[in-house]
Amino acid sequence: MAARKPRRRIYTIFLSSTAKDLAAYRDAVCEAINAHDDYKCVRMEDFGARSSGVREFLKQKVADCDGFVGIVGHLHGSRPKRVEQSYTELEYEAAVKAGMPRLMFVAPDDFVLPAKMREPDKQAAAQTAFRERVMDEQIVSSFASPESLAARVSQAIANELVPRFAGEPKRETVEVEDDLAAYLDAIESQHEQLRLVGFGGRLRTKIRLEDMYVPLDAQVDDRVFGDMRAGNPEELECDVREVPMTEAFQRAQQHGGRRGLVLLGEPGAGKTTHLKRLLLWVRKRGTAELGLPADVVPVFLALRDLDAGLDDFLQSQLDDHPHLDLAPGFAAGLRKRGKLLFLLDGLDEIRRTEEREKVVRWIEAALAAYPDSWFVVTCRYAGYRGLAEQFSAEFLELHLRPMNEDQARSFVHNWFRIVEAEFAQDAGQARTIARGKADDLLARLRERRADTRVFEMTRNPLLLTSLCLVHSDGGGLPDRRAGSCSRSPSGCTPSPGANGRRRRSSSPSSRRPLRRSTSAGSPRASSSRTSATRAGS
């Protein structure tokens, strides 16, 4: 393996000022900062608009930087709701609290402020008090024009910050962007395929998730939005709304700027697959259609392996991963960068209830610590009992819907098309065989529409995969009396869990999905597991 090139230390300087009155000055100073080797200007506009958690977000972004440049004019400017201090004063306080070096520049008393920018007396007095505070606490410099200010900032960096930072112990710091492309390539390769195994290992093939994936829908209760208490489905029927999963983030954002989703579903309903699909969507198609910021970076984490807070877990999963080949400290750099999409899979796979509750607390702490990031948590209904009240109103609860008839038809055709293409030498012949087998299975399923058990199996991706496997090997549909597949291969029987025991079905008293009709999966059908594929976990 080639030796990794040493990383340059990049110093980030937070630039603080009001924008309306100082836009030209602000741009000139940012350009002057970036002109220095190994220095990078950071401004709040780099992070996009926010509707909630602004104060905490601001403090975190200032504290993440190495230095602070403040331009204080005569305009008080905007402020968060129910807060008397302006954003610029809050930024200054965050820099003071962080103990970072501060270079402060104060507009002269005769600085011209256009009449249309004049503020009410209360705000003007507050800005005067802030200017006096800065001049009392700091050695300040004045300026006459954007050019003179840029020159003074550049000189102050050379005189104050460069010698100061040069005296720090040498340390390797990862500039995350250098390794980001390699990281995204690696996680795409890791999650883009589903491994299909059936019939005691006689059928083995790999499936690209995008070829197999069928878009799913989810239900959300508008009446208790953010309350996390779905209650009795029959009572809430009028308030239940069905939304495509691709619109879930936009839905959450529209209701109070929520940044978290809890995705609930039966075993095999498609929870894990949806998380992987989100990862690949962000990687290949961007974030615009999902309603997420453009530069969000996905991070997929299996919660069953979590034994500490998310920060330590992220580090162990990235820095210590044997196949990612990332620079030491990449995870820390990624955390500092922020703007992450945490895809947290399998909360129910943590066995003990008290351990699951602790993990929820870690997730909530991470949501507060990463105010510019998004979170999706998946869980089975059976593992969700008692956890609803543990999640804050920042999380929107979604109930993954069973597949409808059109989705099931697409799934079956996709399955046979992929499998037959794997083994046939002639592409045209493979398509013909696949279409014939798919149409035959769908016809048999229509004949058994009255059989509730078979009908429910067609609504669950994992169980429907079992039917495809059985049909491909010449088997029949499940017997009404015995509850097993006639001429059943091993691919149609429930598979043991990781510990060798059968997985238990969802308890009747467990939290159930919001329903409009009886087409939703039943505990009897959804408790089955197969060794067929992870396509619908």
Side-chain angles (χ1 to χ4, degrees), residues 364-377:
E364 287 284 352
L367 185 130
Y370 296 91
D372 58 348
S373 296
W374 295 73
F375 294 76
V376 187
V377 184

Side-chain angles (χ1 to χ4, degrees), residues 408-452:
R409 184 184 304 109
S410 296
F411 187 98
V412 170
H413 277 283
N414 288 348
W415 193 96
F416 281 103
R417 174 177 52 81
I418 294 167
V419 170
E420 293 302 327
E422 179 78 12
F423 299 104
Q425 295 181 349
D426 181 81
Q429 183 182 27
R431 288 192 294 269
T432 301
I433 294 173
R435 185 165 50 250
K437 287 186 176 182
D439 289 343
D440 184 52
L441 175 58
L442 291 169
R444 294 191 184 194
L445 292 172
R446 283 193 295 272
E447 293 173 358
R448 295 280 297 274
R449 291 180 69 92
D451 188 328
T452 302

Side-chain angles (χ1 to χ4, degrees), residues 286-472:
T287 59
E289 294 177 71
L290 298 175
L292 295 173
D295 51 356
V296 160
V297 175
V299 178
F300 187 98
L301 299 172
L303 291 177
R304 63 175 176 273
D305 301 322
L306 179 61
D307 58 2
L310 277 184
D311 281 353
D312 291 340
F313 189 45
L314 182 63
Q315 180 171 336
S316 68
Q317 294 294 300
L318 297 187
D319 289 354
D320 301 333
H321 197 287
H323 304 301
L324 291 183
D325 187 30
L326 301 171
F330 176 79
L334 200 62
R335 295 200 309 269
K336 185 175 180 179
R337 175 193 182 277
K339 291 174 283 188
L340 304 177
L341 172 58
F342 285 95
L343 303 171
L344 307 175
D345 188 41
L347 181 59
D348 57 282
E349 295 186 35
I350 301 169
R351 293 186 181 182
R352 300 172 58 190
T353 301
E354 55 269 28
E355 292 297 318
R356 289 197 294 271
E357 292 175 349
K358 182 167 65 175
V359 169
V360 172
R361 291 194 294 271
W362 285 339
I363 294 172
E364 287 284 352
L367 185 130
Y370 296 91
D372 58 348
S373 296
W374 295 73
F375 294 76
V376 187
V377 184
T378 68
C379 188
R380 295 183 187 179
Y381 291 107
Y384 196 61
R385 189 187 306 114
L387 295 181
E389 292 76 13
Q390 304 293 323
F391 282 98
S392 71
E394 280 285 348
F395 282 87
L396 168 64
E397 185 181 282
L398 298 170
H399 299 246
L400 197 58
R401 292 290 294 146
M403 290 191 296
N404 58 37
E405 187 171 351
D406 289 339
Q407 291 167 336
R409 184 184 304 109
S410 296
F411 187 98
V412 170
H413 277 283
N414 288 348
W415 193 96
F416 281 103
R417 174 177 52 81
I418 294 167
V419 170
E420 293 302 327
E422 179 78 12
F423 299 104
Q425 295 181 349
D426 181 81
Q429 183 182 27
R431 288 192 294 269
T432 301
I433 294 173
R435 185 165 50 250
K437 287 186 176 182
D439 289 343
D440 184 52
L441 175 58
L442 291 169
R444 294 191 184 194
L445 292 172
R446 283 193 295 272
E447 293 173 358
R448 295 280 297 274
R449 291 180 69 92
D451 188 328
T452 302
R453 182 169 185 269
V454 171
F455 175 79
E456 290 177 347
M457 289 182 74
T458 66
R459 297 307 186 246
N460 181 291
L462 185 63
L463 301 179
L464 185 53
T465 298
S466 297
L467 296 180
C468 292
L469 279 166
V470 172
H471 186 71
S472 182

